[in-house]
Amino acid sequence: MVARHFFDRGLEELHLELIKMGSMVEESIENSILALKKQDISLAKKVFKNDDIIDELERKIERICLNLIATQQPLAKDLRTISTALKIITDMERIADHSADISEITIRMANEKYIKPLIDLPKMAELAKNMVNKSIDAYIKQDVDLAQAVCDSDDDVDSLFSKITLELINLMKNNPETVEQAIDLMLIAKYLERMADHATNIGEWVVFNVTGEHEHLAKHIFMQGLDDAPEASDHD
Amino acid sequence: MNSSELKIYTHNLELFYGDAQALKNININIDEKKVTALIGPSGCGKSTFLKTLNRMNDLIPNVKITGDVYFDGLNVYKEYDIVELRKKVGMVFQKPNPFPMSVYDNVAYGPRIHGIKSKSKLDEIVEKSLVNSALWDEVKDRLKKNALGLSGGQQQRLCIARVLAVEPEVVLMDEPTSALDPISTLKIEDLMDQLKEKYTIVIVTHNMQQAGRISDKTAFFLHGEIVEYDFTEKIFSNPTDKRTEDYITGRFG
């Protein structure tokens, strides 16, 4: 282990910032869903603030990556580690954006009585949060199995999404007055489902980082009960 | 691989300096009109290997070579006259080594040795070689000036022109840019890219980025053996052997 002092120090800094960004993203998901549940406007506003800090962290990590590429000319695994970091921060930032999107709806609905108790949405949020946590952990530890586990969890999120969709459709059919709020809740479910997709992307990048192969690892399940067509792939 | 595209190949090539084995069981196919880079830590045998291709090791005492090197299907050590071989397999060294004579005479030196006397023919060869080595525009007004007055980068391109003047088929380069500044280095690298339309190039380099930029295939040498030989993109993005990975990412040395 010689001559890598600068590079290893740079990698360490990169990892610390990624962990920081990851935990802030998790916090955003948690706060956005808590604010939704409690109809808490000030907590929802905190999610916006968090989003700005996450954007700054993304810039900072970008800068670390570009500096490492410019000054250290990383190759092979090192090059993959840096490019993986550059890719996953985009996914992380999107997840935080979706938390902010949810908070925006929360603020809009803050004075309305919910048309249904929120049970599955918090479950989806919890799953998405865990996926983000595990995907960053998998990156730091270079753990392919953990990354694969993240991708597998996407199925659970997708089935909750189908379930919520069906439930909301029925509510709307039975009582057209619920349509407005049902659409908002539908959007929230979609945002949460997208978060899980982004976490899955991170998992796929971690596998690429370790193996050099980039594959789509999430299984696509059918929208149970809606129709028999496979769900359109949301993974870019 | 189609054997007609193979310019050079070796079979169980081994080389000893006295008792010390410098090359072990080298089997490599070098493609025609491609750039092949040889990388590896100092003392790994890459320069020694390069020199076996035009028998530059013949002059070193106590060298023993076993196995075979084939060039255009003929055995380099058994079926070639050494003058004929070196005309076809030219070499450019680490330090530019122009002869202490004019730019023109440096380039005309080889063709004259090979018997060309006509002034107009020599003029033509000198111009063509200097154009092909991307030096013509810089020296066309001072062909009669001493070559030692050129810059390092110009001297190296002059040495390349000198090699091209005898119309070789293969150009061996032993760290041709390690003594040059970045701009001269880029000029030589651009040149290699043009040269491979006509010539087969084998280059030893310590500069990973250079190997990545210019070569089609890369061979990683370690302790006299070829650890990995593959397309350059593969070697530098996802090498198969852990020793290659460790070397190119600076984990030993």
Side-chain angles (χ1 to χ4, degrees), chain A residues 81 111 137 157:
Chain A
T81 301
N111 297 318
D137 207 26
V157 176

Side-chain angles (χ1 to χ4, degrees), chain A residues 1-4 7-8 11 72-80 210-213, chain B residues 207-209 212 234-239 244-253:
Chain A
M1 291 276 178
V2 262
R4 284 177 51 92
F7 188 76
D8 286 338
L11 267 190
Q72 303 289 317
Q73 290 100 34
L75 289 170
K77 180 74 184 296
D78 293 337
L79 183 58
R80 294 203 300 274
V210 177
T211 65
E213 303 290 332
Chain B
N207 182 333
M208 300 299 154
Q209 278 68 39
K234 170 89 171 99
I235 294 274
F236 287 109
S237 64
N238 197 11
T244 315
E245 171 93 32
D246 285 349
Y247 178 69
I248 65 172
T249 58
R251 282 189 168 82
F252 64 68

Side-chain angles (χ1 to χ4, degrees), chain B residues 183-200:
Chain B
I183 301 296
S184 305
T185 297
L186 279 181
K187 283 185 184 168
I188 304 270
E189 289 180 2
D190 278 351
L191 180 57
M192 281 185 237
D193 198 46
Q194 293 163 27
L195 291 180
K196 77 174 186 186
E197 284 179 17
K198 288 190 217 158
Y199 307 94
T200 302

Side-chain angles (χ1 to χ4, degrees), chain A:
Chain A
M1 291 276 178
V2 262
R4 284 177 51 92
H5 182 64
F6 288 107
F7 188 76
D8 286 338
R9 212 167 50 187
L11 267 190
E12 202 174 307
E13 190 194 1
L14 176 64
H15 285 175
L16 286 177
E17 296 299 329
L18 274 171
I19 292 171
K20 202 193 287 176
M21 188 173 172
S23 61
M24 292 212 61
V25 171
E26 283 172 53
E27 197 186 311
S28 271
I29 303 175
E30 194 170 302
N31 284 341
S32 69
I33 209 71
L34 204 62
L36 176 76
K37 258 166 83 174
K38 295 186 168 173
Q39 300 194 292
D40 182 339
I41 295 182
S42 73
L43 190 58
K45 283 182 176 160
K46 198 179 164 203
V47 174
F48 293 140
K49 261 191 211 142
N50 235 12
D51 193 35
D52 293 339
I53 302 172
I54 288 167
D55 287 350
E56 271 169 44
L57 270 171
E58 187 194 14
R59 293 284 97 76
K60 187 176 180 190
I61 292 170
E62 260 173 30
R63 215 165 35 240
I64 295 172
C65 290
L66 292 178
N67 283 344
L68 280 171
I69 292 172
T71 60
Q72 303 289 317
Q73 290 100 34
L75 289 170
K77 180 74 184 296
D78 293 337
L79 183 58
R80 294 203 300 274
T81 301
I82 308 293
S83 21
T84 298
L86 275 173
K87 296 295 289 190
I88 67 178
I89 54 173
T90 309
D91 284 306
M92 288 161 81
E93 191 268 337
R94 291 273 163 81
I95 293 172
D97 279 351
H98 289 324
S99 298
D101 293 333
I102 291 174
S103 293
E104 216 179 294
I105 297 176
T106 298
I107 292 170
R108 193 161 67 225
M109 301 193 306
N111 297 318
E112 299 169 20
K113 189 177 177 301
Y114 287 151
I115 54 171
K116 69 186 255 334
L118 304 185
I119 296 163
D120 288 331
L121 284 176
K123 272 190 204 159
M124 276 182 90
E126 189 60 28
L127 280 171
K129 198 182 81 182
N130 281 335
M131 284 170 76
V132 173
N133 178 291
K134 280 186 192 157
S135 64
I136 304 301
D137 207 26
Y139 174 76
I140 303 294
K141 293 179 182 153
Q142 301 288 303
D143 186 337
V144 174
D145 294 337
L146 192 56
Q148 180 65 57
V150 170
C151 300
D152 293 343
S153 308
D154 195 38
D155 288 352
D156 301 335
V157 176
D158 285 345
S159 20
L160 278 171
F161 177 68
S162 309
K163 192 176 161 211
I164 292 171
T165 307
L166 281 176
E167 206 180 334
L168 289 169
I169 287 173
N170 285 333
L171 270 173
M172 288 187 273
K173 276 181 181 163
N174 294 335
N175 181 5
E177 278 174 25
T178 61
V179 165
E180 209 167 305
Q181 204 188 89
I183 287 175
D184 275 339
L185 292 176
M186 182 73 226
L187 279 174
I188 290 173
K190 187 65 193 169
Y191 289 136
L192 291 168
E193 189 264 342
R194 286 300 291 153
M195 286 181 186
D197 286 344
H198 285 297
T200 303
N201 287 348
I202 297 175
E204 288 170 355
W205 280 111
V206 171
V207 174
F208 163 78
N209 188 10
V210 177
T211 65
E213 303 290 332
H214 192 213
E215 287 167 46
H216 290 302
L217 298 173
K219 293 172 239 146
H220 297 300
I221 59 162
F222 291 80
M223 289 282 278
Q224 291 128 353
L226 278 185
D227 58 44
D228 286 328
E231 186 186 355
S233 167
D234 274 331
H235 309 292
D236 337 291

